[in-house]
Amino acid sequence: MATSDTRLLDITSTNSKLYIQVEGLYPTPTRIERFGTDSAFEIDEHTIAETRFGVDGGMAAGYVPNPVNVTVTLEAGSESATIMENILLTTKSTMKPYNVTMIAELPALGKQYVWSQGTMLTGTLMPNPKKTLDPTKWSFTFANVQVNQLEATS
């Protein structure tokens, strides 16, 4: 008779951390805080292959490099929104994209995700004033992602 694993699966996200590093603006990783109520940051699916069928019905597949998109959602009163605003406004004023690295730590999984060679794509400069102020969203595109094991802390 098989026994089932009765350990509790920890999927806590409240202790997750996100850092951003921007060449020329925030040279050391700066922590991003006060995420949206329902979402902190979202990662789009990775498209890694292209497939097609030949006229004879045979399928062919090939690896295709694609960027990775990450969207950060911040509450309207988040102090970290100023960091995002600075990136957006400086990019607009200099008319040059800034090289961004983003680091996410998820202790529940014991993993660290590092996105590199990226840039900000879009941002919500002002929260929409509804019944309460809406969260702001900031999207980034990255060329690379790396997954590391978090070091155990005591």
PDB file of all heavy atoms in Angstrom, residues 20-47:
ATOM      1  N   ILE A  20      15.428  45.524  -8.106  1.00  0.00           N
ATOM      2  CA  ILE A  20      15.688  46.029  -9.449  1.00  0.00           C
ATOM      3  C   ILE A  20      17.028  46.756  -9.444  1.00  0.00           C
ATOM      4  O   ILE A  20      17.384  47.420  -8.467  1.00  0.00           O
ATOM      5  CB  ILE A  20      14.553  46.942  -9.947  1.00  0.00           C
ATOM      6  CG1 ILE A  20      14.675  47.193 -11.441  1.00  0.00           C
ATOM      7  CG2 ILE A  20      14.489  48.241  -9.152  1.00  0.00           C
ATOM      8  CD1 ILE A  20      13.426  47.790 -12.063  1.00  0.00           C
ATOM      9  N   GLN A  21      17.767  46.573 -10.516  1.00  0.00           N
ATOM     10  CA  GLN A  21      19.052  47.251 -10.693  1.00  0.00           C
ATOM     11  C   GLN A  21      19.035  47.858 -12.093  1.00  0.00           C
ATOM     12  O   GLN A  21      18.708  47.160 -13.061  1.00  0.00           O
ATOM     13  CB  GLN A  21      20.180  46.227 -10.559  1.00  0.00           C
ATOM     14  CG  GLN A  21      21.558  46.803 -10.599  1.00  0.00           C
ATOM     15  CD  GLN A  21      22.617  45.740 -10.288  1.00  0.00           C
ATOM     16  OE1 GLN A  21      22.307  44.623  -9.901  1.00  0.00           O
ATOM     17  NE2 GLN A  21      23.858  46.111 -10.473  1.00  0.00           N
ATOM     18  N   VAL A  22      19.321  49.153 -12.175  1.00  0.00           N
ATOM     19  CA  VAL A  22      19.265  49.848 -13.458  1.00  0.00           C
ATOM     20  C   VAL A  22      20.597  50.560 -13.677  1.00  0.00           C
ATOM     21  O   VAL A  22      20.971  51.430 -12.889  1.00  0.00           O
ATOM     22  CB  VAL A  22      18.104  50.872 -13.490  1.00  0.00           C
ATOM     23  CG1 VAL A  22      18.028  51.531 -14.858  1.00  0.00           C
ATOM     24  CG2 VAL A  22      16.781  50.196 -13.123  1.00  0.00           C
ATOM     25  N   GLU A  23      21.267  50.168 -14.737  1.00  0.00           N
ATOM     26  CA  GLU A  23      22.573  50.748 -15.062  1.00  0.00           C
ATOM     27  C   GLU A  23      22.443  52.265 -15.238  1.00  0.00           C
ATOM     28  O   GLU A  23      21.625  52.740 -16.010  1.00  0.00           O
ATOM     29  CB  GLU A  23      23.072  50.106 -16.359  1.00  0.00           C
ATOM     30  CG  GLU A  23      24.525  50.263 -16.635  1.00  0.00           C
ATOM     31  CD  GLU A  23      24.909  49.451 -17.863  1.00  0.00           C
ATOM     32  OE1 GLU A  23      25.083  48.221 -17.713  1.00  0.00           O
ATOM     33  OE2 GLU A  23      25.013  50.049 -18.948  1.00  0.00           O
ATOM     34  N   GLY A  24      23.216  53.014 -14.455  1.00  0.00           N
ATOM     35  CA  GLY A  24      23.207  54.459 -14.550  1.00  0.00           C
ATOM     36  C   GLY A  24      22.182  55.155 -13.666  1.00  0.00           C
ATOM     37  O   GLY A  24      22.248  56.370 -13.491  1.00  0.00           O
ATOM     38  N   LEU A  25      21.225  54.419 -13.112  1.00  0.00           N
ATOM     39  CA  LEU A  25      20.205  55.014 -12.245  1.00  0.00           C
ATOM     40  C   LEU A  25      20.194  54.404 -10.844  1.00  0.00           C
ATOM     41  O   LEU A  25      20.208  55.115  -9.845  1.00  0.00           O
ATOM     42  CB  LEU A  25      18.805  54.852 -12.858  1.00  0.00           C
ATOM     43  CG  LEU A  25      18.526  55.602 -14.151  1.00  0.00           C
ATOM     44  CD1 LEU A  25      17.138  55.249 -14.675  1.00  0.00           C
ATOM     45  CD2 LEU A  25      18.641  57.094 -13.930  1.00  0.00           C
ATOM     46  N   TYR A  26      20.127  53.093 -10.779  1.00  0.00           N
ATOM     47  CA  TYR A  26      20.134  52.352  -9.504  1.00  0.00           C
ATOM     48  C   TYR A  26      21.183  51.257  -9.634  1.00  0.00           C
ATOM     49  O   TYR A  26      20.864  50.114  -9.954  1.00  0.00           O
ATOM     50  CB  TYR A  26      18.743  51.759  -9.220  1.00  0.00           C
ATOM     51  CG  TYR A  26      17.679  52.824  -9.086  1.00  0.00           C
ATOM     52  CD1 TYR A  26      16.890  53.193 -10.172  1.00  0.00           C
ATOM     53  CD2 TYR A  26      17.493  53.487  -7.878  1.00  0.00           C
ATOM     54  CE1 TYR A  26      15.935  54.194 -10.053  1.00  0.00           C
ATOM     55  CE2 TYR A  26      16.535  54.487  -7.756  1.00  0.00           C
ATOM     56  CZ  TYR A  26      15.760  54.832  -8.852  1.00  0.00           C
ATOM     57  OH  TYR A  26      14.815  55.823  -8.740  1.00  0.00           O
ATOM     58  N   PRO A  27      22.469  51.619  -9.423  1.00  0.00           N
ATOM     59  CA  PRO A  27      23.566  50.693  -9.699  1.00  0.00           C
ATOM     60  C   PRO A  27      23.634  49.472  -8.778  1.00  0.00           C
ATOM     61  O   PRO A  27      24.239  48.474  -9.133  1.00  0.00           O
ATOM     62  CB  PRO A  27      24.817  51.564  -9.558  1.00  0.00           C
ATOM     63  CG  PRO A  27      24.396  52.734  -8.738  1.00  0.00           C
ATOM     64  CD  PRO A  27      22.939  52.933  -8.966  1.00  0.00           C
ATOM     65  N   THR A  28      23.019  49.558  -7.612  1.00  0.00           N
ATOM     66  CA  THR A  28      22.959  48.390  -6.722  1.00  0.00           C
ATOM     67  C   THR A  28      21.508  47.926  -6.648  1.00  0.00           C
ATOM     68  O   THR A  28      20.580  48.734  -6.788  1.00  0.00           O
ATOM     69  CB  THR A  28      23.469  48.727  -5.303  1.00  0.00           C
ATOM     70  OG1 THR A  28      22.680  49.789  -4.773  1.00  0.00           O
ATOM     71  CG2 THR A  28      24.925  49.141  -5.333  1.00  0.00           C
ATOM     72  N   PRO A  29      21.279  46.631  -6.435  1.00  0.00           N
ATOM     73  CA  PRO A  29      19.903  46.136  -6.370  1.00  0.00           C
ATOM     74  C   PRO A  29      19.089  46.885  -5.306  1.00  0.00           C
ATOM     75  O   PRO A  29      19.504  47.009  -4.161  1.00  0.00           O
ATOM     76  CB  PRO A  29      20.062  44.659  -6.009  1.00  0.00           C
ATOM     77  CG  PRO A  29      21.426  44.302  -6.519  1.00  0.00           C
ATOM     78  CD  PRO A  29      22.249  45.539  -6.299  1.00  0.00           C
ATOM     79  N   THR A  30      17.945  47.417  -5.720  1.00  0.00           N
ATOM     80  CA  THR A  30      17.054  48.187  -4.853  1.00  0.00           C
ATOM     81  C   THR A  30      15.762  47.409  -4.678  1.00  0.00           C
ATOM     82  O   THR A  30      15.163  46.982  -5.678  1.00  0.00           O
ATOM     83  CB  THR A  30      16.773  49.571  -5.485  1.00  0.00           C
ATOM     84  OG1 THR A  30      18.031  50.229  -5.706  1.00  0.00           O
ATOM     85  CG2 THR A  30      15.908  50.425  -4.584  1.00  0.00           C
ATOM     86  N   ARG A  31      15.340  47.241  -3.442  1.00  0.00           N
ATOM     87  CA  ARG A  31      14.151  46.431  -3.172  1.00  0.00           C
ATOM     88  C   ARG A  31      12.875  47.163  -3.590  1.00  0.00           C
ATOM     89  O   ARG A  31      12.705  48.346  -3.332  1.00  0.00           O
ATOM     90  CB  ARG A  31      14.072  46.066  -1.685  1.00  0.00           C
ATOM     91  CG  ARG A  31      12.959  45.074  -1.420  1.00  0.00           C
ATOM     92  CD  ARG A  31      13.122  44.379  -0.124  1.00  0.00           C
ATOM     93  NE  ARG A  31      11.941  43.568   0.136  1.00  0.00           N
ATOM     94  CZ  ARG A  31      11.672  43.031   1.279  1.00  0.00           C
ATOM     95  NH1 ARG A  31      12.488  43.203   2.303  1.00  0.00           N
ATOM     96  NH2 ARG A  31      10.585  42.302   1.436  1.00  0.00           N
ATOM     97  N   ILE A  32      11.989  46.432  -4.223  1.00  0.00           N
ATOM     98  CA  ILE A  32      10.677  46.931  -4.625  1.00  0.00           C
ATOM     99  C   ILE A  32       9.664  46.404  -3.609  1.00  0.00           C
ATOM    100  O   ILE A  32       9.650  45.213  -3.302  1.00  0.00           O
ATOM    101  CB  ILE A  32      10.317  46.447  -6.049  1.00  0.00           C
ATOM    102  CG1 ILE A  32      11.386  46.889  -7.046  1.00  0.00           C
ATOM    103  CG2 ILE A  32       8.930  46.920  -6.454  1.00  0.00           C
ATOM    104  CD1 ILE A  32      11.572  48.382  -7.165  1.00  0.00           C
ATOM    105  N   GLU A  33       8.810  47.320  -3.093  1.00  0.00           N
ATOM    106  CA  GLU A  33       7.865  46.932  -2.039  1.00  0.00           C
ATOM    107  C   GLU A  33       6.485  47.529  -2.274  1.00  0.00           C
ATOM    108  O   GLU A  33       6.318  48.401  -3.098  1.00  0.00           O
ATOM    109  CB  GLU A  33       8.387  47.404  -0.682  1.00  0.00           C
ATOM    110  CG  GLU A  33       9.732  46.791  -0.330  1.00  0.00           C
ATOM    111  CD  GLU A  33      10.254  47.269   0.999  1.00  0.00           C
ATOM    112  OE1 GLU A  33      10.771  48.402   1.043  1.00  0.00           O
ATOM    113  OE2 GLU A  33      10.121  46.523   1.974  1.00  0.00           O
ATOM    114  N   ARG A  34       5.520  47.062  -1.505  1.00  0.00           N
ATOM    115  CA  ARG A  34       4.116  47.503  -1.545  1.00  0.00           C
ATOM    116  C   ARG A  34       3.462  47.133  -2.871  1.00  0.00           C
ATOM    117  O   ARG A  34       3.014  47.970  -3.631  1.00  0.00           O
ATOM    118  CB  ARG A  34       3.984  49.000  -1.291  1.00  0.00           C
ATOM    119  CG  ARG A  34       4.541  49.456   0.016  1.00  0.00           C
ATOM    120  CD  ARG A  34       3.597  49.142   1.130  1.00  0.00           C
ATOM    121  NE  ARG A  34       4.169  49.629   2.380  1.00  0.00           N
ATOM    122  CZ  ARG A  34       3.519  49.668   3.489  1.00  0.00           C
ATOM    123  NH1 ARG A  34       2.292  49.267   3.546  1.00  0.00           N
ATOM    124  NH2 ARG A  34       4.108  50.107   4.579  1.00  0.00           N
ATOM    125  N   PHE A  35       3.387  45.822  -3.075  1.00  0.00           N
ATOM    126  CA  PHE A  35       2.801  45.289  -4.295  1.00  0.00           C
ATOM    127  C   PHE A  35       1.287  45.417  -4.274  1.00  0.00           C
ATOM    128  O   PHE A  35       0.673  45.667  -3.240  1.00  0.00           O
ATOM    129  CB  PHE A  35       3.189  43.818  -4.468  1.00  0.00           C
ATOM    130  CG  PHE A  35       4.663  43.628  -4.645  1.00  0.00           C
ATOM    131  CD1 PHE A  35       5.437  43.089  -3.633  1.00  0.00           C
ATOM    132  CD2 PHE A  35       5.283  43.991  -5.829  1.00  0.00           C
ATOM    133  CE1 PHE A  35       6.799  42.922  -3.792  1.00  0.00           C
ATOM    134  CE2 PHE A  35       6.647  43.828  -5.998  1.00  0.00           C
ATOM    135  CZ  PHE A  35       7.402  43.285  -4.972  1.00  0.00           C
ATOM    136  N   GLY A  36       0.684  45.178  -5.424  1.00  0.00           N
ATOM    137  CA  GLY A  36      -0.761  45.192  -5.548  1.00  0.00           C
ATOM    138  C   GLY A  36      -1.397  44.113  -4.683  1.00  0.00           C
ATOM    139  O   GLY A  36      -0.750  43.141  -4.285  1.00  0.00           O
ATOM    140  N   THR A  37      -2.673  44.275  -4.407  1.00  0.00           N
ATOM    141  CA  THR A  37      -3.406  43.351  -3.539  1.00  0.00           C
ATOM    142  C   THR A  37      -3.449  41.943  -4.106  1.00  0.00           C
ATOM    143  O   THR A  37      -3.267  40.970  -3.393  1.00  0.00           O
ATOM    144  CB  THR A  37      -4.841  43.867  -3.319  1.00  0.00           C
ATOM    145  OG1 THR A  37      -4.754  45.166  -2.758  1.00  0.00           O
ATOM    146  CG2 THR A  37      -5.622  42.969  -2.407  1.00  0.00           C
ATOM    147  N   ASP A  38      -3.721  41.823  -5.396  1.00  0.00           N
ATOM    148  CA  ASP A  38      -3.904  40.506  -5.996  1.00  0.00           C
ATOM    149  C   ASP A  38      -2.698  40.003  -6.776  1.00  0.00           C
ATOM    150  O   ASP A  38      -2.683  38.864  -7.216  1.00  0.00           O
ATOM    151  CB  ASP A  38      -5.120  40.529  -6.928  1.00  0.00           C
ATOM    152  CG  ASP A  38      -6.402  40.786  -6.160  1.00  0.00           C
ATOM    153  OD1 ASP A  38      -6.534  40.270  -5.036  1.00  0.00           O
ATOM    154  OD2 ASP A  38      -7.258  41.510  -6.683  1.00  0.00           O
ATOM    155  N   SER A  39      -1.709  40.855  -6.956  1.00  0.00           N
ATOM    156  CA  SER A  39      -0.565  40.447  -7.760  1.00  0.00           C
ATOM    157  C   SER A  39       0.657  41.288  -7.404  1.00  0.00           C
ATOM    158  O   SER A  39       0.551  42.503  -7.264  1.00  0.00           O
ATOM    159  CB  SER A  39      -0.896  40.621  -9.244  1.00  0.00           C
ATOM    160  OG  SER A  39       0.201  40.250 -10.035  1.00  0.00           O
ATOM    161  N   ALA A  40       1.786  40.628  -7.285  1.00  0.00           N
ATOM    162  CA  ALA A  40       3.044  41.330  -7.039  1.00  0.00           C
ATOM    163  C   ALA A  40       3.766  41.532  -8.371  1.00  0.00           C
ATOM    164  O   ALA A  40       3.990  42.649  -8.816  1.00  0.00           O
ATOM    165  CB  ALA A  40       3.922  40.546  -6.078  1.00  0.00           C
ATOM    166  N   PHE A  41       4.116  40.431  -9.005  1.00  0.00           N
ATOM    167  CA  PHE A  41       4.739  40.493 -10.314  1.00  0.00           C
ATOM    168  C   PHE A  41       4.337  39.257 -11.087  1.00  0.00           C
ATOM    169  O   PHE A  41       4.111  38.201 -10.518  1.00  0.00           O
ATOM    170  CB  PHE A  41       6.264  40.653 -10.243  1.00  0.00           C
ATOM    171  CG  PHE A  41       6.943  39.810  -9.215  1.00  0.00           C
ATOM    172  CD1 PHE A  41       7.498  38.585  -9.549  1.00  0.00           C
ATOM    173  CD2 PHE A  41       7.073  40.245  -7.908  1.00  0.00           C
ATOM    174  CE1 PHE A  41       8.146  37.804  -8.603  1.00  0.00           C
ATOM    175  CE2 PHE A  41       7.709  39.482  -6.950  1.00  0.00           C
ATOM    176  CZ  PHE A  41       8.246  38.249  -7.302  1.00  0.00           C
ATOM    177  N   GLU A  42       4.183  39.438 -12.397  1.00  0.00           N
ATOM    178  CA  GLU A  42       3.733  38.359 -13.273  1.00  0.00           C
ATOM    179  C   GLU A  42       4.746  38.144 -14.376  1.00  0.00           C
ATOM    180  O   GLU A  42       5.308  39.099 -14.903  1.00  0.00           O
ATOM    181  CB  GLU A  42       2.396  38.714 -13.922  1.00  0.00           C
ATOM    182  CG  GLU A  42       1.279  38.929 -12.933  1.00  0.00           C
ATOM    183  CD  GLU A  42       0.015  39.412 -13.615  1.00  0.00           C
ATOM    184  OE1 GLU A  42      -0.274  38.959 -14.743  1.00  0.00           O
ATOM    185  OE2 GLU A  42      -0.661  40.260 -13.026  1.00  0.00           O
ATOM    186  N   ILE A  43       4.924  36.881 -14.720  1.00  0.00           N
ATOM    187  CA  ILE A  43       5.866  36.523 -15.760  1.00  0.00           C
ATOM    188  C   ILE A  43       5.085  35.864 -16.884  1.00  0.00           C
ATOM    189  O   ILE A  43       4.307  34.936 -16.645  1.00  0.00           O
ATOM    190  CB  ILE A  43       6.948  35.553 -15.210  1.00  0.00           C
ATOM    191  CG1 ILE A  43       7.800  36.257 -14.145  1.00  0.00           C
ATOM    192  CG2 ILE A  43       7.845  35.058 -16.319  1.00  0.00           C
ATOM    193  CD1 ILE A  43       7.196  36.358 -12.813  1.00  0.00           C
ATOM    194  N   ASP A  44       5.268  36.337 -18.106  1.00  0.00           N
ATOM    195  CA  ASP A  44       4.601  35.723 -19.247  1.00  0.00           C
ATOM    196  C   ASP A  44       5.202  34.356 -19.531  1.00  0.00           C
ATOM    197  O   ASP A  44       6.351  34.064 -19.157  1.00  0.00           O
ATOM    198  CB  ASP A  44       4.758  36.594 -20.500  1.00  0.00           C
ATOM    199  CG  ASP A  44       3.943  37.872 -20.438  1.00  0.00           C
ATOM    200  OD1 ASP A  44       3.119  38.018 -19.512  1.00  0.00           O
ATOM    201  OD2 ASP A  44       4.143  38.723 -21.317  1.00  0.00           O
ATOM    202  N   GLU A  45       4.423  33.527 -20.212  1.00  0.00           N
ATOM    203  CA  GLU A  45       4.931  32.223 -20.630  1.00  0.00           C
ATOM    204  C   GLU A  45       6.119  32.406 -21.567  1.00  0.00           C
ATOM    205  O   GLU A  45       6.172  33.378 -22.319  1.00  0.00           O
ATOM    206  CB  GLU A  45       3.835  31.445 -21.367  1.00  0.00           C
ATOM    207  CG  GLU A  45       2.677  31.056 -20.484  1.00  0.00           C
ATOM    208  CD  GLU A  45       1.588  30.346 -21.266  1.00  0.00           C
ATOM    209  OE1 GLU A  45       1.595  30.392 -22.520  1.00  0.00           O
ATOM    210  OE2 GLU A  45       0.734  29.748 -20.622  1.00  0.00           O
ATOM    211  N   HIS A  46       7.039  31.445 -21.523  1.00  0.00           N
ATOM    212  CA  HIS A  46       8.209  31.474 -22.406  1.00  0.00           C
ATOM    213  C   HIS A  46       7.873  30.716 -23.694  1.00  0.00           C
ATOM    214  O   HIS A  46       7.466  29.560 -23.632  1.00  0.00           O
ATOM    215  CB  HIS A  46       9.403  30.762 -21.757  1.00  0.00           C
ATOM    216  CG  HIS A  46      10.004  31.488 -20.617  1.00  0.00           C
ATOM    217  ND1 HIS A  46       9.342  31.753 -19.458  1.00  0.00           N
ATOM    218  CD2 HIS A  46      11.234  32.005 -20.449  1.00  0.00           C
ATOM    219  CE1 HIS A  46      10.123  32.389 -18.626  1.00  0.00           C
ATOM    220  NE2 HIS A  46      11.288  32.560 -19.207  1.00  0.00           N
ATOM    221  N   THR A  47       8.042  31.334 -24.817  1.00  0.00           N
ATOM    222  CA  THR A  47       7.932  30.632 -26.087  1.00  0.00           C
ATOM    223  C   THR A  47       9.350  30.246 -26.477  1.00  0.00           C
ATOM    224  O   THR A  47      10.196  31.117 -26.660  1.00  0.00           O
ATOM    225  CB  THR A  47       7.298  31.537 -27.163  1.00  0.00           C
ATOM    226  OG1 THR A  47       6.003  31.926 -26.710  1.00  0.00           O
ATOM    227  CG2 THR A  47       7.197  30.809 -28.490  1.00  0.00           C
TER     228      THR A  47
END
